[in-house]
Amino acid sequence: MPALVLLGAQWGDEGKGKATDLLGGSVDYVVRYQGGNNAGHTVVVGDQKYALHLLPSGILSPGCTPVIGNGVVVDPSVLLSELSGLNERGVDTSKLLISGNAHIITPYNVTVDKVTERFLGKRKIGTTGRGIGPTYADKINRVGIRVQDLYDESILTQKVEAALDVKNQMLTKLYNRRAIAVEQVVEELLGYADKLAPYVCDTVLVLNQALEQDKVVLFEGGQGTLLDIDHGTYPFVTSSNPTAGGACTGAGVGPTKISRVIGILKAYTTRVGAGPFPTELFDEDGEALRRIGGERGVTTGRDRRCGWFDAVIARYATRVNGLTDFFLTKLDVLTGWEQIPVCVAYEIDGKRVEELPYSQTDFHHAKPVYEMLPGWSEDISKAKSFSDLPKNAQSYVKALEEMSGAPISAIGVGPGRDETIEINSFL
């Protein structure tokens, strides 16, 4: 089967963009199946760095067709701006396909996101404020605007009126904000129709026909497993399903078509936004990981919270996604530590727990149980094979593989496209 899913196995920011880009030259389609411009990927090609927020990473591979699936929420202004920026840098974006069933992030979704988060104060979730959650809420409440609605002014107007009937009540009476005019929103959204038209199609049909023709399709998740709305650290999660099951619903492809599920793991752990994080560091080690790893959110610009590798989370990701492989990134960042702690279990109320607790209360109180592994000081950025790594780095990788429950098939030893050790082919 030629369908693969590639997703984050932690809290996002694991390096999925690099992994997708490496596979991009060998696959025919790269599909974003959930999330919106709250996800950020950095891809380094030669001396060029590309920050992608909404577009699939495959857009940088000339022979690949990038697809925005029905499970994605699309901010048209952000998308067009991102396309324009790539075109100015000589990247061909003409092959992009957008599902007509993908939902549109409207101006009022962004407004609601920002005022709601501000209203929550200390209880805020830590959203990006880009309207992602409110757009998914509209989708579930069946008052959402879809890409295809841009091409029927009557339907679009009716849907915007229905959505604003409730939202304007909330904005004016609860948040003391001005009401949003229906006509203004409709006019803005219609202004995107012609610009998006060349890309819009029935992506479900395209992808299924491609798989029938033995084309290779890569499904690219945004965020990470622990940010999944169902399987993450709720409520400090995103509004969609980055886990492997989300690829089926978010792209319209059946689970029997998927042959491999690749989890991206950072050699340590990071997260952006609020929520529990058992291995988080507040000392010099945490600051060093942040500085050396360049841990700043691609989309948010916020410093990422940093901590040691958490094997409990990795095992959980293997289980809920059915992972067949891991791609371990940023191993080079750990160079220089004499000893490297790895969280192998949690202590909760005096008891050792080796699997992720299902209770939110227990997870908030989880304390990491560490095992110390010997570090290395040699530069590993030029390593081309596993045997090129220092013995202690090899042992570290093997230990993480054993603890995580799936083989590590590739290792990132630097940010560049060519700074990767491939142990087993993903294709």
Side-chain angles (χ1 to χ4, degrees):
M1 289 290 183
L4 305 88
V5 179
L6 187 147
L7 52 86
Q10 294 158 314
W11 274 289
D13 306 309
E14 300 94 347
K16 295 180 292 296
K18 177 180 180 179
T20 307
D21 178 61
L22 284 168
L23 291 166
S26 306
V27 302
D28 300 296
Y29 294 81
V30 174
V31 186
R32 273 288 304 275
Y33 59 84
Q34 50 72 227
N37 56 304
N38 57 339
H41 299 320
T42 300
V43 180
V44 180
V45 182
D47 60 352
Q48 295 292 309
K49 182 182 288 187
Y50 298 88
L52 305 176
H53 305 278
L54 186 55
L55 291 168
S57 300
I59 200 153
L60 299 174
S61 299
C64 181
T65 299
V67 180
I68 294 177
N70 57 273
V72 178
V73 290
V74 179
D75 186 320
S77 64
V78 171
L79 177 59
L80 291 169
S81 175
E82 201 165 333
L83 287 169
S84 176
L86 290 178
N87 289 333
E88 289 174 2
R89 298 176 68 178
V91 177
D92 179 15
T93 62
S94 62
K95 296 180 74 173
L96 174 68
L97 303 178
I98 304 171
S99 171
N101 288 341
H103 279 247
I104 293 284
I105 300 174
T106 67
Y108 53 78
N109 292 135
V110 177
T111 299
V112 169
D113 196 359
K114 290 179 178 178
V115 298
T116 303
E117 187 79 345
R118 194 175 300 124
F119 185 78
L120 288 172
K122 293 181 179 179
R123 294 178 288 111
K124 65 182 180 180
I125 303 299
T127 75
T128 58
R130 286 163 168 77
I132 311 297
T135 304
Y136 276 115
D138 280 0
K139 177 178 179 177
I140 300 303
N141 287 326
R142 289 160 291 190
V143 293
I145 309 297
R146 297 191 293 178
V147 171
Q148 60 175 277
D149 296 330
L150 301 183
Y151 304 98
D152 189 320
E153 184 174 351
S154 175
I155 287 178
L156 177 63
T157 302
Q158 291 175 44
K159 289 189 172 184
V160 172
E161 285 176 344
L164 285 178
D165 275 347
V166 176
K167 287 179 175 56
N168 276 335
Q169 294 288 326
M170 178 180 66
L171 288 171
T172 57
K173 296 180 179 179
L174 179 59
Y175 297 121
N176 197 29
R177 301 277 171 163
R178 282 187 293 183
I180 298 173
V182 171
E183 298 78 10
Q184 182 179 343
V185 173
V186 170
E187 181 181 359
E188 179 176 336
L189 294 180
L190 288 175
Y192 299 122
D194 289 344
K195 296 174 183 177
L196 294 178
Y199 308 111
V200 180
C201 69
D202 182 352
T203 57
V204 172
L205 178 62
V206 170
L207 293 173
N208 278 281
Q209 287 179 336
L211 289 170
E212 289 168 6
Q213 297 165 11
D214 290 330
K215 301 290 186 182
V216 181
V217 179
L218 177 65
F219 299 94
E220 174 188 47
Q223 292 89 31
T225 297
L226 274 296
L227 290 177
D228 187 278
I229 186 69
D230 288 298
H231 304 292
T233 49
Y234 190 90
F236 303 99
V237 292
T238 193
S239 304
S240 56
N241 293 107
T243 44
C248 298
T249 54
V253 172
T256 55
K257 301 287 181 66
I258 294 170
S259 58
R260 209 155 181 181
V261 183
I262 304 162
I264 313 303
L265 269 181
K266 198 174 283 185
Y268 48 101
T269 311
T270 63
R271 80 170 295 177
V272 172
F277 183 178
T279 67
E280 183 173 11
L281 297 168
F282 301 94
D283 57 10
E284 293 179 359
D285 285 331
E287 183 54 42
L289 288 173
R290 185 177 298 109
R291 184 183 70 255
I292 299 168
E295 296 298 349
R296 181 176 287 269
V298 178
T299 296
T300 64
R302 293 180 289 188
D303 283 343
R304 295 177 185 139
R305 300 157 64 189
C306 296
W308 299 119
F309 185 86
D310 189 329
V312 181
I313 284 173
R315 286 194 293 274
Y316 178 75
T318 301
R319 184 182 311 117
V320 299
N321 292 297
L323 295 179
T324 57
D325 304 82
F326 279 116
F327 186 138
L328 185 69
T329 63
K330 290 197 169 184
L331 184 64
D332 53 301
V333 173
L334 296 180
T335 299
W337 270 273
E338 289 186 13
Q339 288 191 311
I340 305 172
V342 172
C343 174
V344 297
Y346 300 144
E347 181 184 303
I348 302 173
D349 295 331
K351 296 180 181 178
R352 182 184 173 104
V353 176
E354 298 194 356
E355 301 298 344
L356 197 76
Y358 80 91
S359 162
Q360 176 183 344
T361 302
D362 284 349
F363 194 54
H364 272 278
H365 294 125
K367 297 178 181 178
V369 176
Y370 286 116
E371 180 178 312
M372 305 301 291
L373 299 180
W376 61 93
S377 57
E378 301 92 329
D379 178 14
I380 66 171
S381 62
K382 301 297 186 291
K384 299 300 180 185
S385 67
F386 187 71
S387 60
D388 290 340
L389 294 174
K391 293 298 182 184
N392 286 350
Q394 293 182 31
S395 298
Y396 184 80
V397 172
K398 290 177 181 176
L400 265 52
E401 181 178 70
E402 184 177 347
M403 295 173 188
S404 302
I408 292 174
S409 294
I411 304 167
V413 293
R417 178 184 272 183
D418 59 341
E419 293 177 310
T420 303
I421 297 170
E422 189 171 342
I423 301 172
N424 296 307
S425 173
F426 289 120
L427 298 175

